[in-house]
Amino acid sequence: MPASTLVLGGDLGGTSTRIVIADSEGNVVGRGAAAGGNPTSHPTTAAANFGQALHAAVTGLDPARVQAAVIGAAGGSALDIPEIRAQFDAAWTGAGLTVEPRFIGDLEVAFASGTPQPDGHVLISGTGSNAGVVRDHRLVRTAGGHGWLLGDEGSGFWLGREAVRSVLLSFDLEEPLGLLGTSVLQSLLPTHDPALFAQRDGYAIARNEVIRAVNTRPPVLMAELARTVVAAYEQDDKTAHALVKRAADLLIETVGRIRTTKDTTPLVLTGSVAGEQSPVGQLLREAFHDRFNGEVLTARDGVSGATWLALGALDPTLATQSNHTRLVG
C-alpha cells in the first residue's frame, strides 16, 4: 500500500467526540475533539459535533488519503435509523472523507483498547452496564445493556437508584438515616431541614419531597449518586457496603451469562464503576478470579482502540502488538 495511506479511528461518547488519524505504522498524524457525539441522545447536535471533530482531525491532511475508518459509538444502534445516519453521513462527506466508515459499538472499541487479542469478553459499567463476547475482533453476543428502565444492573445508575430506595425504606419504617441516607438526602434536597423528622408526618413529607425531586430530573442523573455511595462506602457505611457488594455480584452474574468457567480468554473492564480504583471494580476483579479463568485487563483510550481496529481493517497484518502499544500504550 502507498506510504501515504492513512486510517481513522473515532469514539463518539455521551460527553465527548474524539477522532484520531494515523499512518500505516500507527503514528498519529491528526486529532480532533468536540462535545458529545452519542447519536441516541441528541442526534442533530451529535452529528454537528462529529463533523467539528472530523474537520479538526483532517486539518493539513488530504482526507482522500484515509483508506479505512472504524468509529465506536455509544448508542450506535440509532445510526440504523436512516434520518439519523444521513446526518452523520453528511458530516463525514462534509469533511472531505471518501472511504466508507465502519460504525461499531462501544463494547468492541473498549475490548480493542484493552488488548490486541482477537477473542475474549468485555464488560462496561459506567452510567449503564453491558457485557459482550468478542471473536476475531468483532462483537458476536451481548448480555445486559437493556437501559436504565429495564436493566443496567450494577451500574452507576443502579447504585444511585438503590441508594434512593434505601432512603425511602428508612422513611417507610420511620428509622433514622445512616451516613449514606443522609448524604443522598442532602444531594437531592440541599435545603432540607432535619428537624422535619421530629414533626408529625415528617417522614411522609420527606418521602414525598424525595420522590418529587427524583421524578423531576432526567433519569440518567441518578447515576451521579454513585459517587455518594462510594464516599459512604469508604467511611464504612453498612448500607453502602451492601450496595457495592451487590453491584459487583450483579456484574459478575452478567458476565456469567456469556462466559464459561473453561474460557481462558481475557476479560476487559471499562467504565467508572468497573475501574481499578472503584470499590465495585475491585470486588468485581476478585469475584472474577474466584469464578473464572483468564486475565482481567482494564480498557485504555477508546479512540486509540478504534484506530488500531482501523489499521486491521486496512490490512490485517497491521493489527500487531507493536502497533497496539504505539497507539494505545
Side-chain angles (χ1 to χ4, degrees), residues 14 62 78 107 163 180 185 194 215 218-219 254 269 272:
D62 178 4
L107 283 170
L180 175 61
L185 191 61
N215 283 284
T254 301
L269 299 179
S272 58

Side-chain angles (χ1 to χ4, degrees), residues 8-300:
L8 182 148
D11 186 14
L12 311 184
T15 59
S16 67
T17 300
R18 296 181 298 152
I19 303 295
V20 163
I21 298 177
D23 63 22
S24 58
E25 295 181 348
N27 300 304
V28 175
V29 297
R31 292 184 184 273
N38 187 325
T40 298
S41 303
H42 304 285
T44 300
T45 302
N49 292 335
F50 181 47
Q52 179 183 336
L54 289 172
H55 278 280
V58 302
T59 299
L61 302 171
D62 178 4
R65 292 171 58 194
V66 175
Q67 295 297 302
V70 174
I71 300 164
S77 61
L79 293 171
D80 293 334
I81 302 172
E83 295 80 3
I84 296 177
R85 180 58 185 263
Q87 296 181 62
F88 278 77
D89 287 344
W92 183 259
T93 57
L97 293 153
T98 57
V99 68
E100 182 72 18
R102 177 186 167 218
F103 287 94
I104 63 176
D106 48 1
L107 283 170
E108 285 176 87
V109 168
F111 184 80
S113 75
T115 177
Q117 295 298 314
D119 305 325
H121 295 77
V122 56
L123 173 68
I124 292 177
S125 182
T127 299
S129 64
N130 197 4
V133 181
V134 175
R135 294 287 180 264
D136 194 21
H137 303 297
R138 288 179 179 261
L139 187 69
V140 298
R141 184 181 171 191
T142 62
H146 305 144
W148 64 268
L149 184 61
L150 300 174
D152 282 348
E153 295 89 351
S155 68
F157 177 90
W158 183 92
L159 281 170
R161 185 190 65 190
E162 294 305 304
V164 175
R165 292 182 66 188
S166 73
V167 170
L168 295 176
L169 176 61
S170 294
F171 289 166
D172 286 348
L173 298 174
E174 296 191 349
E175 295 179 346
L177 295 177
L179 173 62
L180 175 61
T182 300
S183 299
V184 169
L185 191 61
Q186 291 174 344
S187 178
L188 294 175
L189 303 173
T191 61
H192 176 78
D193 183 3
L196 177 67
F197 294 125
Q199 301 176 18
R200 181 181 180 183
D201 297 328
Y203 281 96
I205 294 171
R207 179 192 62 207
N208 292 337
E209 288 180 348
V210 167
I211 293 172
R212 189 178 305 112
V214 167
N215 283 284
T216 54
R217 305 190 325 165
V220 70
L221 293 183
M222 192 79 78
E224 295 180 352
L225 291 172
R227 293 191 293 269
T228 304
V229 176
V230 170
Y233 175 94
E234 293 172 344
Q235 297 183 60
D236 292 325
D237 179 84
K238 182 178 179 180
T239 302
H241 270 257
L243 292 182
V244 165
K245 184 180 185 306
R246 182 57 180 155
D249 289 343
L250 288 170
L251 291 171
I252 207 67
E253 287 174 16
T254 301
V255 173
R257 296 178 207 163
I258 54 175
R259 185 180 178 103
T260 69
T261 55
K262 296 181 180 179
D263 199 321
T264 59
T265 59
L267 170 69
V268 173
L269 299 179
T270 187
S272 58
V273 176
E276 294 177 342
Q277 303 306 313
S278 162
V280 176
Q282 292 165 5
L283 292 178
L284 176 60
R285 285 165 174 78
E286 292 175 9
F288 179 85
H289 288 305
D290 288 342
R291 180 171 172 181
F292 299 104
N293 296 305
E295 186 179 12
V296 178
L297 303 170
T298 301
R300 305 291 289 277

